[in-house]
Amino acid sequence: MLLINCPLCGPRDELEFRCGGESHVSRPGPAETVSDTDWSAYLFARSNPKGVHYERWVHAFGCRRWFNVARHTVTHRIEAIYAMHERPPVAFDGSDGL
Amino acid sequence: MAKLDYSGWRVVREGLRSQSGWGEAWRNPEPRAAYDAIIVGGGGHGLATAYYLAKTHGMRNVAVLEKGWLGGGNTGRNTTVIRSNYYYRESAALYDMSLKLYEGLARELNYNVMFSQRGMITLAHSRHDLEAAARWVKAMRINGVDTVMVDTKEIARRVPILDMSPEARFPVMGGFLQKRAGTARHDAVAWGYARAADALGVDIIQQCEVTGFRRATDGTIAGVDTSRGPIAARSVALAVAGHSTTLAEMAGFRLPVTSYALQAFVTEPLKPVLDTVVLSLATGVYLSQSDKGGLVIGGALDLYPSYAQRGNMPMARNVLGAVAQQFPRLGRVRLLRQWAGIVDVVQDSSPILGATPIPNLLINCGWGTGGFKAIPAGGTLLAHHMATGAPHPLAAPFSLARFSTGALIDEAAASGIAH
């Protein structure tokens, strides 16, 4: 069970949130210059690390605000929570006993 | 090693000889310096691929590399259901081929995989569920998969433990039945393929983790680096559900795959209470009773990407709560075990079979929550591609290229499956 610290509402149970998948995926463009391969990579290819994953979450049953979470996909430990417009924090080595 | 045939006669003879003559089911060889083909992943799909490479295509200089032990990944973590009730023609052909291979598998492998065609009932809980089910059934029948609608009377007869009352939390309005669906013993499928492949000369190498890929000067695959040293190969295939993206990244390409935990549960053994597989469209929960008497329960994926092979509590509560609501008399049954497997989820909920951006490196992944039922087909199709250099007609629609051509096979939208 995750305790997620919503930037607006404070710590809440994970049941109130939804995960929106990988964050920091930028849309290629301008559209007429984008190849099918690049467009496919944008739509479908995702980072799927066994380690820290930078992802978007929404407080669906609270303030409905989106924010970014850096979360370890093996321990599920939340390393950082930061705003949508912020750059991801420096990489975590994930060396917490794994 | 000469293959030891299993038979009733042998069981009697070994019974009289204190079980002293059985011997090992497969060898435990040292890796050779080079193979014609290497399959990474000693689960059901990898072992089946090796078996069909040797059996159908006569390739004997083949190795299966497994970082842990045989069937220790998803093959040993699934809920053993086998079915072919998919919507699209491509999927129906693929999964029905698999089901038909399962029907003859015990005899072919001389190994009891305990395939039991006890049938599977999918429950509809609303008028909309019923309409979707009718559309789904008609599509399956057009595709040659025998499925029938069943009414509430028939469901009550086949699943007496189900709460069918009008006051039920999830009232049942009907459903459909695939009679040829059922369950098999998951370990036995892996062991049976391993034993049969070994007897044909395939080297099954456990405790051998792939740590890198070797490329020839022209870019084609030349072999792998492993925890037991480098091994050369002309062709390499990945069949490593759950860790496909990790290996793809090592090889230098990306996949449209996200890893999620899928939980399963087994109860204490009960007297026979359920002789079919039941799935609820409303809750996503499904269950069957194993031959040992335990109820095997599965449900939806956990809600965020994970490599933790344990699952999380909120989803466990959802799944078990739904079982208690739909099968009230199971509410006080105790659980023996809970676990999770890590599944390869693809946006269109269909597998990825065939070529990768690296020549002679093939992949079998993306089965999501449903890889077990596809083992014989996945093995047959990947072996065909490895041996002939071209995809089997049934595998062609499931290529990695479909994500850039746009020819997706969106089973999540069509047949409402979880993966």
Side-chain angles (χ1 to χ4, degrees):
Chain A
M1 181 80 81
L2 300 181
L3 186 66
I4 298 175
N5 193 4
C6 170
L8 265 75
C9 310
R12 301 291 184 92
D13 187 299
E14 72 172 63
L15 291 171
E16 297 188 13
F17 299 85
R18 288 289 174 269
C19 180
E22 187 185 5
S23 197
H24 311 296
V25 178
S26 51
R27 180 182 173 122
E32 60 276 16
T33 66
V34 179
S35 68
D36 285 354
T37 313
D38 289 347
W39 188 245
S40 162
Y42 162 67
L43 286 179
F44 299 114
R46 288 291 175 267
S47 300
N48 187 33
K50 191 173 187 177
V52 175
H53 189 225
Y54 299 94
E55 57 200 16
R56 301 175 296 181
W57 285 71
V58 60
H59 193 181
F61 299 100
C63 61
R64 300 191 183 176
R65 183 67 63 95
W66 284 91
F67 53 92
N68 286 316
V69 174
R71 185 181 60 88
H72 199 288
T73 58
V74 180
T75 62
H76 292 179
R77 193 170 86 180
I78 292 173
E79 305 282 1
I81 290 180
Y82 56 103
M84 287 307 290
H85 64 272
E86 284 183 273
R87 299 299 308 154
V90 283
F92 305 91
D93 67 357
S95 60
D96 44 10
L98 290 171
Chain B
M1 187 187 77
K3 189 171 127 184
L4 180 69
D5 271 325
Y6 295 139
S7 65
W9 155 243
R10 296 269 329 185
V11 171
V12 171
R13 195 168 78 133
E14 292 304 323
L16 296 172
R17 296 186 350 169
S18 306
Q19 316 291 346
S20 59
W22 287 115
E24 59 187 1
W26 52 80
R27 296 164 300 131
N28 200 14
E30 285 299 312
R32 286 179 228 163
Y35 289 94
D36 291 337
I38 284 178
I39 296 141
V40 184
H45 283 273
L47 293 165
T49 305
Y51 169 71
Y52 292 113
L53 268 180
K55 162 98 186 319
T56 313
H57 303 283
M59 288 176 68
R60 303 297 166 101
N61 190 19
V62 174
V64 176
L65 308 183
E66 165 58 45
K67 77 171 172 182
W69 65 93
L70 291 193
N74 285 351
T75 304
R77 290 170 181 270
N78 65 71
T79 48
T80 77
V81 174
I82 293 163
R83 60 187 173 88
S84 59
N85 48 5
Y86 282 76
Y87 182 84
Y88 285 114
R89 185 187 306 137
E90 296 88 344
S91 313
L94 180 67
Y95 291 107
D96 212 46
M97 171 202 195
S98 205
L99 204 165
K100 284 173 181 156
L101 286 168
Y102 263 120
E103 285 175 335
L105 197 60
R107 181 172 290 271
E108 172 165 0
L109 300 179
N110 179 230
Y111 203 91
N112 185 6
V113 298
M114 297 166 72
F115 183 38
S116 155
Q117 293 180 291
R118 55 190 67 184
M120 173 167 171
I121 293 180
T122 304
L123 303 172
H125 300 278
S126 67
R127 190 164 58 81
H128 312 290
D129 275 2
L130 263 185
E131 285 173 4
R135 171 176 174 267
W136 194 349
V137 163
K138 282 174 181 159
M140 282 187 269
R141 293 172 70 107
I142 289 169
N143 293 330
V145 177
D146 53 333
T147 320
V148 288
M149 295 296 288
V150 282
D151 59 17
T152 51
K153 209 172 133 192
E154 178 71 3
I155 293 170
R157 188 182 73 75
R158 285 179 180 266
V159 194
I161 57 170
L162 182 64
D163 182 1
M164 302 275 298
S165 64
E167 310 81 52
R169 170 69 184 81
F170 298 100
V172 177
M173 298 186 65
F176 66 87
L177 165 68
Q178 185 181 18
K179 283 186 191 164
R180 285 185 302 133
T183 63
R185 174 74 201 276
H186 49 3
D187 297 318
V189 173
W191 296 336
Y193 272 119
R195 176 172 167 277
D198 176 85
L200 293 171
V202 170
D203 280 359
I204 297 166
I205 300 160
Q206 301 178 68
Q207 308 288 322
C208 181
E209 182 172 3
V210 169
T211 54
F213 293 90
R214 299 188 156 231
R215 309 273 289 271
T217 45
D218 63 353
T220 59
I221 203 86
V224 293
D225 289 317
T226 77
S227 54
R228 293 170 70 169
I231 306 175
R234 275 184 274 173
S235 170
V236 176
L238 306 178
V240 290
H243 286 75
S244 303
T245 40
T246 314
L247 279 171
E249 191 185 347
M250 212 185 274
F253 62 95
R254 299 182 90 202
L255 286 171
V257 166
T258 306
S259 297
Y260 288 90
L262 178 67
Q263 299 188 60
F265 311 84
V266 171
T267 71
E268 61 188 328
L270 306 174
K271 287 182 179 179
V273 292
L274 179 64
D275 64 358
T276 187
V277 183
V278 189
L279 179 143
S280 160
L281 285 176
T283 63
V285 164
Y286 61 98
L287 66 165
S288 61
Q289 188 165 23
S290 81
D291 295 348
K292 282 193 287 189
L295 291 162
V296 183
I297 300 165
L301 292 171
D302 281 9
L303 293 172
Y304 40 84
S306 175
Y307 284 87
Q309 289 176 310
R310 56 180 183 271
N312 76 354
M313 275 308 287
M315 188 51 70
R317 196 166 53 195
N318 282 357
V319 171
L320 298 170
V323 171
Q325 284 169 324
Q326 297 187 280
F327 304 88
R329 69 194 72 183
L330 301 179
R332 296 175 69 86
V333 172
R334 286 166 293 191
L335 285 184
L336 276 190
R337 296 191 294 282
Q338 173 270 0
W339 68 91
I342 304 304
V343 298
D344 287 3
V345 175
V346 183
Q347 278 91 340
D348 73 349
S349 303
S350 289
I352 300 168
L353 293 168
T356 69
I358 297 166
N360 295 344
L361 178 64
L362 304 177
I363 195 161
N364 165 344
C365 74
W367 296 95
T369 62
F372 175 68
K373 67 167 116 44
I375 284 173
T380 302
L381 301 177
L382 188 60
H384 179 96
H385 199 150
M386 282 186 97
T388 65
H392 188 287
L394 286 184
F398 296 96
S399 75
L400 192 52
R402 76 177 186 269
F403 295 97
S404 43
T405 62
L408 303 182
I409 303 166
D410 192 356
E411 283 294 345
S415 57
I417 52 166
H419 55 265

